[in-house]
Amino acid sequence: MNIQLPHSILQSGKHLLLSGSKSESNRALILQALFPELTVQNLSTADDTLLLQQALTSHTEVVDIHHAGTAMRFLTAYFAIQQGKKVLLTGSPRMKERPIHLLVNALQQLGADITYTEKEGFPPIYIRGKKLTNNEVHIQGNVSSQYSSALLLIAPALPNGLTLHLEGEVTSLPYLKMTINLLAHCIGQEQVSFKANTIKVNTMNGKNLLHNSWEVESDWSSASYWYAFVALSPIGTTLSLSYFKPHSLQGDSALKTIYEFFGVHSSFKGNELTIEKVAEPQQKRFECNLNATPDIAQTIAVTCVAMGLECHLTGLHTLKIKETDRLQALQTELRKLGAEVSITHDSLHLAPCPHLRSGISIATYNDHRMAMAFTPLMLKTTLEIADKEVVSKSYPSFWHDVAQLTVKR
């Protein structure tokens, strides 16, 4: 179902409690499945997290994770070490187009028994769980940090631990560090090391966790849309968000710095984050390498087009293997609004857009972030968002929150 968004304003002074981070939640759930004594609070309510929970407790031989890319990667590694368990891991048609061969190859280096059932290098995959005694593996670091995280999360449960060598430039490094920091919290700082491009994780070998509880921080990726709303609002507009940490594990907390360019200031009082529009942009061109934070590229591009700014974003090569080819989708939908957009395999350039077309219908391509990234445009014009239900993948209450915090002009 599509949703019509009227030209609106964001109400100032409101407060919003956001669900736990999907990225943190999914990592914590894998560790909890391997070490049941671990308790996890403030789990994400996103579809991806619910699908992962269901898969981890499933007793069926076929596990369908639909569009959940993180679940596909993490479960591939998890099921590979479940001795005696046989699983066909599959997903949506788009999931079957998203490569997984780098992770499968790495697991096979460790001794895993995994075969492709349709197209070589892509899901579905058939996994026969077994004990993996090899403990050293090489993997490309510049494709998806989720491959590396999937391997690291099972490392404490491997009989000989794991030494992981990352080859080339490491993409989405904050997400990799999130995994490492969560492991260090649970099993001990001395059990995990990251030097140069080599990560070592020691085996737990039946030992108890150092810390057996974890509280998930709210989701900075979800906060990004509200940063855009505030950026497109009048000076003096404020919005408070909870539960956030000044020193976050999440890469998208870089929003605090990035959105200073757009005149948005961030401040903390305990675990409450207040964002305020304090100024208009002082420059007409925004340029940023988002190699570490590719998930906020769509939101930033839409913010720039709404503010009439020139924009040049790089480090976007992973966007082509997300829920959709996000670079192509961004180009197509921004052009509908009247923007001049050019893309390469890893960059996007946006010329200043002096006027936004009204009443445009934005296609979402089964991609939750396309739907939510374009929504703040309702502060500038009327528009329609297609397939509004897609937001449930990461932020199920998004449309409720939009309705509560905005008022028609």
Side-chain angles (χ1 to χ4, degrees):
M1 183 183 297
N2 299 353
I3 184 169
Q4 304 292 330
L5 300 177
H7 192 189
S8 304
I9 60 171
L10 178 69
Q11 298 183 76
S12 182
K14 295 292 185 178
H15 179 267
L16 194 58
L17 175 62
L18 295 178
S19 170
S21 159
K22 179 166 68 79
S23 299
E24 271 189 49
S25 294
N26 291 348
R27 285 160 172 77
L29 284 172
I30 295 293
L31 286 178
Q32 185 181 55
L34 295 171
F35 304 98
E37 66 267 32
L38 179 65
T39 60
V40 184
Q41 291 86 39
N42 195 34
L43 274 173
S44 170
T45 58
D47 283 356
D48 278 15
T49 300
L50 299 178
L51 283 166
L52 180 58
Q53 284 181 292
Q54 293 166 10
L56 288 169
T57 57
S58 172
H59 298 293
T60 63
E61 190 166 328
V62 178
V63 174
D64 186 346
I65 50 74
H66 304 286
H67 296 300
T70 307
M72 172 61 74
R73 280 84 179 253
F74 288 3
L75 288 170
T76 297
Y78 174 79
F79 285 135
I81 65 168
Q82 301 307 301
Q83 296 181 51
K85 188 175 180 66
K86 299 177 181 178
V87 174
L88 177 67
L89 188 57
T90 188
S92 65
R94 172 59 181 168
M95 186 58 62
K96 295 179 181 182
E97 298 173 348
R98 299 176 70 177
I100 199 167
H101 63 281
L102 291 179
L103 175 58
V104 170
N105 290 349
L107 287 164
Q108 289 171 337
Q109 289 178 49
L110 296 175
D113 186 348
I114 305 174
T115 55
Y116 301 105
T117 63
E118 293 182 15
K119 185 179 178 182
E120 187 78 11
F122 297 83
I125 52 177
Y126 191 71
I127 306 169
R128 298 172 180 85
K130 57 184 288 194
K131 185 177 182 178
L132 305 184
T133 55
N134 295 342
N135 68 341
E136 192 160 0
V137 68
H138 294 253
I139 192 168
Q140 285 179 238
N142 63 347
V143 178
S144 172
S145 65
Q146 290 180 7
Y147 298 151
S148 302
S149 286
L151 295 166
L152 293 172
L153 288 168
I154 65 168
L158 298 178
N160 298 310
L162 180 68
T163 298
L164 177 63
H165 302 284
L166 302 173
E167 298 178 345
E169 183 183 7
V170 179
T171 195
S172 301
L173 184 59
Y175 288 95
L176 190 59
K177 288 183 176 179
M178 177 193 294
T179 304
I180 293 168
N181 286 328
L182 180 55
L183 283 169
H185 171 83
C186 292
I187 70 175
Q189 190 72 47
E190 70 281 1
Q191 306 297 332
V192 186
S193 67
F194 187 6
K195 296 178 181 178
N197 271 25
T198 297
I199 306 170
K200 293 184 179 181
V201 181
N202 294 334
T203 180
M204 291 301 287
N205 267 337
K207 293 181 289 188
N208 293 328
L209 296 177
L210 178 65
H211 297 109
N212 59 7
S213 66
W214 180 260
E215 185 169 10
V216 177
E217 182 187 18
S218 290
D219 192 53
W220 277 95
S221 300
S222 296
S224 72
Y225 315 116
W226 298 108
Y227 268 85
F229 266 103
V230 171
L232 303 185
S233 297
I235 291 173
T237 301
T238 65
L239 176 64
S240 297
L241 306 172
S242 299
Y243 150 78
F244 288 94
K245 304 173 184 177
H247 304 291
S248 174
L249 298 185
Q250 298 174 54
D252 288 349
S253 63
L255 286 162
K256 301 191 301 288
T257 301
I258 291 171
Y259 268 78
E260 289 281 355
F261 179 94
F262 303 110
V264 179
H265 177 68
S266 306
S267 60
F268 286 90
K269 185 176 182 180
N271 290 323
E272 182 175 283
L273 164 67
T274 297
I275 53 179
E276 180 180 3
K277 179 66 176 288
V278 297
E280 294 299 336
Q282 299 303 299
Q283 301 176 50
K284 294 298 183 182
R285 175 185 167 93
F286 177 77
E287 188 166 349
C288 191
N289 185 323
L290 296 177
N291 180 57
T293 54
D295 281 347
I296 57 177
Q298 291 145 296
T299 309
I300 291 172
V302 171
T303 300
C304 287
V305 78
M307 301 184 87
L309 300 172
E310 182 181 1
C311 173
H312 187 69
L313 304 178
T314 56
L316 307 181
H317 58 283
T318 61
L319 296 192
K320 300 185 77 65
I321 58 169
K322 297 286 187 177
E323 284 78 354
T324 185
D325 180 340
R326 286 180 174 167
L327 278 172
Q328 186 62 60
L330 267 174
Q331 182 181 55
T332 300
E333 301 310 307
L334 289 171
R335 282 178 172 175
K336 286 183 185 178
L337 292 161
E340 294 182 20
V341 188
S342 59
I343 60 174
T344 68
H345 74 284
D346 70 345
S347 70
L348 178 146
H349 184 82
L350 174 70
C353 184
H355 176 71
L356 293 175
R357 294 172 183 155
S358 297
I360 298 299
S361 181
I362 301 297
T364 53
Y365 307 87
N366 291 315
D367 185 349
H368 54 131
R369 300 206 189 282
M370 286 295 291
M372 293 184 283
F374 278 81
T375 297
L377 289 177
M378 67 188 293
L379 301 188
K380 296 294 183 179
T381 187
T382 59
L383 73 156
E384 177 184 76
I385 302 293
D387 191 19
K388 70 183 182 72
E389 292 82 7
V390 74
V391 302
S392 66
K393 179 177 172 65
S394 64
Y395 189 169
S397 64
F398 179 70
W399 297 120
H400 173 269
D401 292 347
V402 169
Q404 293 296 308
L405 269 62
T406 61
V407 176
K408 184 178 178 180
R409 283 185 181 270

